[in-house]
Amino acid sequence: MVTVVVLYHSSHGSVEAMAHEISDALEFHGANVKLRTFEKKHEHQQIISKTDLIECDALAFGTPTRFGMMAAQAKAFWETTSDLWLKGQLIDKPACVFSSSSSMHGGNEATLLNLSLPLLHHGMMLLGVPYDVPELLSTRSGGTPYGATHVAGSDNSSELSECEKKICRAVGTRLFNIASKLK
């Protein structure tokens, strides 16, 4: 069985909703999904551990956009992973990234690139969203070839659009397929 960690930080619920869409697609295909966060805000949430990363076969990683960068909680965690890097414990694991911003041009693509940096340093294989996902071409809100995105609105009230949900599910499916082939 393929084990996938879906790791996220969510301030207003959008990134958490994306994490659940990705998780649903992974579970549909039979993956063992471990939803993890950087800080516990709700009773049902579990905090990420380095052991989770070592033992997983793949990773989906997302945070809201913070001026084109990942949330501070995520950055603080990745800064503790030098021991994993020194041992090469994440090398060749497939990974994808996802993000949400309050506006269409709020920095989602820059954030996706920023989220990718620690994964690339760890030797992970970064997966984007290929253009055979039709919603990538038809979306009027979130979705990029770098990863799934959402536009939450200035008051963070927008729910995931159908295109955004389908892109998240496509990301989960692709991550499962690649992890399964590698396992």
Side-chain angles (χ1 to χ4, degrees):
M1 178 179 279
V2 171
T3 298
V4 181
V5 169
V6 179
L7 174 60
Y8 69 94
H9 174 73
S10 190
S11 298
H12 300 286
S14 295
V15 176
E16 183 173 15
M18 295 176 77
H20 284 282
E21 290 292 334
I22 293 168
S23 295
D24 288 349
L26 289 161
E27 289 173 347
F28 174 81
H29 293 290
N32 173 31
V33 176
K34 294 184 176 184
L35 270 171
R36 299 292 187 263
T37 60
F38 298 100
E39 58 186 21
K40 193 169 189 167
K41 293 183 175 183
H42 306 289
E43 193 61 35
H44 69 277
Q45 293 177 325
Q46 293 184 27
I47 303 294
I48 186 69
S49 71
K50 290 190 238 179
T51 302
D52 290 327
L53 292 179
I54 294 165
E55 293 176 352
C56 75
D57 298 305
L59 172 70
F61 167 43
T63 79
T65 279
R66 296 291 181 256
F67 303 104
M69 297 179 287
M70 71 178 77
Q73 295 85 342
K75 185 174 185 299
F77 172 77
W78 286 109
E79 288 178 357
T80 71
T81 63
S82 293
D83 55 330
L84 305 183
W85 174 77
L86 286 168
K87 295 175 187 171
Q89 291 178 294
L90 305 182
I91 291 174
D92 290 341
K93 293 185 183 200
C96 65
V97 292
F98 56 102
S99 184
S100 176
S101 66
S102 60
S103 66
M104 182 65 83
H105 304 289
N108 269 330
E109 287 186 339
T111 300
L112 294 174
L113 294 171
N114 183 256
L115 293 171
S116 301
L117 295 177
L119 310 183
L120 292 169
H121 275 271
H122 275 286
M124 299 183 90
M125 296 183 291
L126 195 60
L127 306 178
V129 181
Y131 278 97
D132 69 344
V133 176
E135 291 76 19
L136 198 58
L137 293 170
S138 63
T139 184
R140 296 289 178 247
S141 52
T144 77
Y146 308 131
T149 60
H150 170 65
V151 178
S154 60
D155 61 356
N156 295 300
S157 65
S158 297
E159 293 183 14
L160 298 180
S161 71
E162 283 307 308
C163 281
E164 291 169 339
K165 288 178 183 179
K166 287 179 181 177
I167 291 169
C168 286
R169 287 186 226 126
V171 164
T173 297
R174 185 164 192 230
L175 189 59
F176 175 82
N177 289 339
I178 299 300
S180 295
K181 288 176 184 178
L182 291 171
K183 190 163 176 136

